């Protein structure tokens, strides 16, 4: 995995920027924190159906975001150390990075674990007070490193996001502090995620012995960052048959692929209610339908505009490259302006047809999610080999299997539900056309089931002998009883600005002492 990551990163990072050995060291440092030897191993769930699961949760916070944020944290530190070389702590020209982020759960803990203890970096993560799951809150607030600051905001996730945006837009704040972001708008996050698409493909080639197996990736999708990495992988030569977007009931992406219209459909009151408070459903932005998969509860997808640009560029009739790029950018701006003003926009049939070349989509309800967790647990996991062709070892992370049965988290269950639908559709199509029915489906497992244990228990409550305590990862045992550090903050960007300035100053002064 590390060798492959180096080859991919080297295509985008020049050796003048980061020398070869330095980049290799950064990659090794980033992935030495993972519990699985293969970093992102693939497991076969059904050999007859060619159904595989790409496990992305073996990092420090048990979520796929660790793959990118472990690397991003080390990247931040690398450049700061280089720029500050020879500068004493008292030197006014010494650079200090202030990372500010908002989270409804997973991004915050992954960012904190990626940045904890880094030199000349302060990290401030805001979450809506009392609205993230206990596990997610504990993962964040039990990190006691001096450079980590958790702020529990008296408000909603929207309030946290608005504070971050206001801080980045404030000229006064930017004149005194070097601010940085950790969300998936940061290209380095997308780059790091490209690796596991290629790694899963090469593992499949080894397992099947075929030089060019037909395969699809299925991605539980909210903000579109994870599947955007898959799209970039296909543009780099990954021969995927399709990328399948799997959404929950917040289905703006699914509706776009079916109709060509990208429209907000906010819901409120009784219509919005759902999901489980214990798994952090109340942390979602306002207007979404609350579901059992809170990490995917979104109104709009922040990375989707990246794909829109490529679609506009590909379908343009303009021949001159720079003009074509500018035209694509102008189209995307027009669409996004309409989204803000009118709540949505539509695209022409050429754009929609281009979108369907690489992608398909499925929408999965909470009821279907629960049923899939039951169904997959009810089947036995094949014991012969992993998708990478090696003998199946004991799970690198405990809590995913119980008595030979696989336990899905609800987000991963959405991917598996979409996979099973695609498998059925491919089989029926092959029967009609005489095509190849043996299409492999690789579904991304984005989180460990313990992170959303209440949804899992809801699905498996009638299974005799099953309790989550029996399969809880050792890293989670007693986590909520550990010492915590967290500051309460009002939903005011000016007040948060004051808190950030005060705590950064204290950190800097402590280093000078």
């Amino acid at each position: 995995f590390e060798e492959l990551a180096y080859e991919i990163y080297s295509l985008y990072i020049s050796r003048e920027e980061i020398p070869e050995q330095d980049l290799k060291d950064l990659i090794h440092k980033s992935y030495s924190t993972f519990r699985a030897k293969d970093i992102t191993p693939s497991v076969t769930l059904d050999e007859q159906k060619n159904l595989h699961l790409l496990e992305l949760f073996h990092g420090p916070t048990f979520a796929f975001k660790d793959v990118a944020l472990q690397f991003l944290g080390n990247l931040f530190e690398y450049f700061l150390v280089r720029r500050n070389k020879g500068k004493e702590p008292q030197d006014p020209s010494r650079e200090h990075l202030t990372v500010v982020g908002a989270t409804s759960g997973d991004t915050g803990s992954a960012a904190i674990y990626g940045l904890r203890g880094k030199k000349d970096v302060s990290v401030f993560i805001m979450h809506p007070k009392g609205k993230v799951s206990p596990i997610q809150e504990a993962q964040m607030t039990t990190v006691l490193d001096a450079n980590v600051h958790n702020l529990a905001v008296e408000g909603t996730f929207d309030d946290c996001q608005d504070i971050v945006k206001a801080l980045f837009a404030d000229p006064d704040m930017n004149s005194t502090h070097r601010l940085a972001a950790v969300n998936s708008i940061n290209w380095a996050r997308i780059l790091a995620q490209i690796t596991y698409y290629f790694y899963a493909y090469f593992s499949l080639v080894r397992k099947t012995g075929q030089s060019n197996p037909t395969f699809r990736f299925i991605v539980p999708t909210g903000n579109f960052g994870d599947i955007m990495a898959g799209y970039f992988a296909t543009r780099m030569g990954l021969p995927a048959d399709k990328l399948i977007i799997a959404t929950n009931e917040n289905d703006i992406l699914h509706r776009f692929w079916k109709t060509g219209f990208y429209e907000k459909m906010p819901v409120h009151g009784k219509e919005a209610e759902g999901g489980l408070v214990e798994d952090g459903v109340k942390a979602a932005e306002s207007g979404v339908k609350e579901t059992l998969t809170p990490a995917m509860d979104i109104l709009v997808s922040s990375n989707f505009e990246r794909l829109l640009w490529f679609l506009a560029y590909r379908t343009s009739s303009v021949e001159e490259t720079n003009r074509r790029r500018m035209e694509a950018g102008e189209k995307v701006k027009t669409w996004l302006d309409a989204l803000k003003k009118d709540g949505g926009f539509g695209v022409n049939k050429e754009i929609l047809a281009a979108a369907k070349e690489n992608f398909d989509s499925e929408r999965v309800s909470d009821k279907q999610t629960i049923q899939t967790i039951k169904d997959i647990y009810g089947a036995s996991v094949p014991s012969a080999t992993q998708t990478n062709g090696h003998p199946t070892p004991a799970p690198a992370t405990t809590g995913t299997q119980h008595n030979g049965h696989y336990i899905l988290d609800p987000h991963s269950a959405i991917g598996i539900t979409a996979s099973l639908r695609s498998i059925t559709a491919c089989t029926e199509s092959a029967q009609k056309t005489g095509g190849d029915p043996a299409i492999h489906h690789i579904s991304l497992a984005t989180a460990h089931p313990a992170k959303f244990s209440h949804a899992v228990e809801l699905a498996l409550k009638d299974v005799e002998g099953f309790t989550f305590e029996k399969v809880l990862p050792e890293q989670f045992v007693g986590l909520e009883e550990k010492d915590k550090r967290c500051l309460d903050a009002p939903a005011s960007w000016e007040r948060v600005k004051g808190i950030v300035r005060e705590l950064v100053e204290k950190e800097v002064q402590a280093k000078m002492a």
Side-chain angles (χ1 to χ4, degrees):
F1 185 94
E2 291 182 17
E3 292 174 2
L4 180 60
Y6 171 76
E7 295 298 331
I8 290 171
Y9 298 176
S10 294
L11 297 173
Y12 297 90
I13 302 171
S14 73
R15 292 187 179 181
E16 286 73 28
E17 189 70 41
I18 303 179
E20 177 181 349
Q21 191 56 51
D22 287 2
L23 182 56
K24 288 181 177 179
D25 291 343
L26 281 170
I27 291 168
H28 178 69
K29 184 178 181 182
S30 300
Y31 300 121
S32 63
T33 60
F34 280 62
R35 293 174 296 278
K37 180 182 177 182
D38 291 328
I39 313 301
T40 59
S42 297
V43 175
T44 299
L45 293 183
D46 191 317
E47 292 177 333
Q48 279 69 46
K49 293 180 179 178
N50 292 319
L51 176 61
H52 316 285
L53 192 69
L54 178 58
E55 295 182 335
L56 303 176
F57 50 71
H58 294 292
T61 70
F62 296 75
F64 79 97
K65 294 176 182 180
D66 288 324
V67 178
L69 285 167
Q70 284 292 299
F71 178 67
L72 186 61
N74 287 318
L75 208 56
F76 280 156
E77 183 181 49
Y78 175 82
F79 284 115
L80 283 170
V81 168
R82 190 165 73 184
R83 290 172 182 174
N84 289 333
K85 187 176 181 180
K87 297 177 182 177
E88 296 297 325
Q90 297 84 358
D91 190 333
S93 68
R94 187 178 180 90
E95 291 190 27
H96 188 97
L97 196 66
T98 302
V99 176
V100 182
T103 187
S104 58
D106 280 346
T107 296
S109 57
I112 285 170
Y113 275 75
L115 293 164
R116 62 185 303 181
K118 301 299 182 190
K119 297 175 184 176
D120 297 308
V121 180
S122 299
V123 54
F124 292 83
I125 298 296
M126 285 167 272
H127 68 270
K129 184 178 180 180
K131 295 178 181 178
V132 299
S133 76
I135 284 288
Q136 289 172 322
E137 182 178 345
Q139 281 188 311
M140 293 187 287
T141 59
T142 57
V143 177
L144 304 180
D145 296 67
N147 72 320
V148 172
H149 309 281
N150 284 283
L151 303 181
V153 174
E154 298 279 0
T156 66
F157 176 61
D158 288 357
D159 294 324
C160 297
Q161 283 192 312
D162 289 344
I163 290 169
V164 172
K165 292 174 184 175
L167 291 174
F168 274 91
D170 180 38
D172 179 52
M173 188 68 180
N174 282 277
S175 70
T176 57
H177 291 68
R178 190 181 185 92
L179 300 181
V182 290
N183 62 28
S184 55
I185 295 301
N186 190 313
W187 164 247
R189 275 192 59 177
I190 303 294
L191 171 60
Q193 290 170 247
I194 291 172
T195 305
Y196 51 69
Y197 284 93
F198 279 102
Y199 190 72
Y201 166 63
F202 292 135
S203 296
L204 182 65
V205 168
R206 283 196 299 270
K207 176 179 172 61
T208 61
Q210 301 173 20
S211 60
N212 190 27
T214 307
F215 65 99
R216 294 181 168 190
F217 277 104
I218 302 85
V219 187
T221 303
N223 273 323
F224 210 76
D226 203 358
I227 201 164
M228 195 67 204
Y231 176 70
F232 284 129
T234 64
R235 290 181 63 85
M236 292 170 63
L238 182 73
D241 177 66
K242 285 282 185 183
L243 298 170
I244 298 179
I245 300 155
T247 79
N248 64 14
E249 292 169 65
N250 294 288
D251 59 352
I252 185 170
L253 290 167
H254 177 65
R255 287 185 278 111
F256 173 82
W257 257 268
K258 299 308 176 190
T259 67
F261 288 91
Y262 189 75
E263 297 173 309
K264 293 182 185 179
M265 288 189 177
V267 293
H268 301 280
K270 290 288 185 183
E271 190 180 355
E273 292 179 1
L276 295 168
V277 173
E278 299 88 344
D279 281 347
V281 73
K282 294 298 181 184
E285 60 183 312
S286 60
V288 304
K289 171 73 172 73
E290 296 172 346
T291 73
L292 295 172
T293 48
M296 295 161 61
D297 287 347
I298 51 94
L299 268 182
V300 296
S301 296
S302 58
N303 272 282
F304 184 53
E305 62 194 73
R306 278 181 163 142
L307 179 67
L308 286 173
W309 185 90
F310 279 100
L311 296 175
Y313 182 84
R314 281 177 56 194
T315 56
S316 173
S317 59
V318 175
E319 292 187 6
E320 202 275 316
T321 301
N322 284 333
R323 280 190 56 217
R324 192 171 185 174
R325 288 172 176 167
M326 290 177 64
E327 182 197 63
E330 288 165 1
K331 278 187 177 180
V332 173
K333 184 179 185 302
T334 300
W335 289 329
L336 295 182
D337 286 345
L339 181 65
K340 290 178 182 177
K341 181 182 176 183
D342 306 320
F345 61 86
V347 299
N348 61 39
K349 61 182 181 181
E350 289 79 17
I351 295 278
L352 183 58
K356 290 182 176 181
E357 285 180 19
N358 295 100
F359 296 90
D360 203 347
S361 69
E362 293 287 349
R363 175 190 186 273
V364 180
S365 69
D366 274 356
K367 183 178 180 181
Q368 292 161 336
T369 300
I370 289 294
Q371 189 60 50
T372 296
I373 295 174
K374 289 180 181 178
D375 291 344
I376 293 299
Y377 185 86
S380 296
V381 179
S383 59
T385 58
Q386 295 184 109
T387 305
N388 62 15
H390 299 308
T392 304
T397 302
T398 57
T400 59
Q401 295 187 34
H402 181 237
N403 293 338
H405 301 279
Y406 201 93
I407 306 166
L408 291 171
D409 104 280
H411 304 80
S412 305
I414 283 183
I416 292 296
T417 306
S419 300
L420 292 169
R421 291 179 189 171
S422 177
I423 290 168
T424 299
C426 289
T427 302
E428 291 175 352
S429 176
Q431 289 171 347
K432 292 177 183 177
T433 64
D436 180 14
I439 296 177
H440 291 267
H441 286 68
I442 305 171
S443 188
L444 275 58
T446 54
H448 188 283
K451 298 205 76 168
F452 303 95
S453 60
H454 294 86
V456 176
E457 288 184 322
L458 180 65
L460 302 181
K461 65 180 186 298
D462 296 328
V463 174
E464 186 177 350
F466 177 84
T467 62
F468 219 92
E469 286 72 19
K470 292 183 180 179
V471 291
L472 194 68
E474 61 184 31
Q475 294 88 345
F476 283 20
V477 176
L479 182 63
E480 293 176 47
E481 282 71 52
K482 288 185 176 180
D483 290 340
K484 300 179 177 67
R485 192 175 77 241
C486 184
L487 286 174
D488 289 344
S492 160
W493 77 269
E494 292 96 341
R495 293 284 295 278
V496 170
K497 173 182 172 181
I499 293 171
V500 171
R501 278 188 157 163
E502 178 186 348
L503 292 177
V504 170
E505 179 64 22
K506 284 183 179 178
E507 273 190 64
V508 173
Q509 291 299 323
K511 290 177 183 176
M512 292 182 181

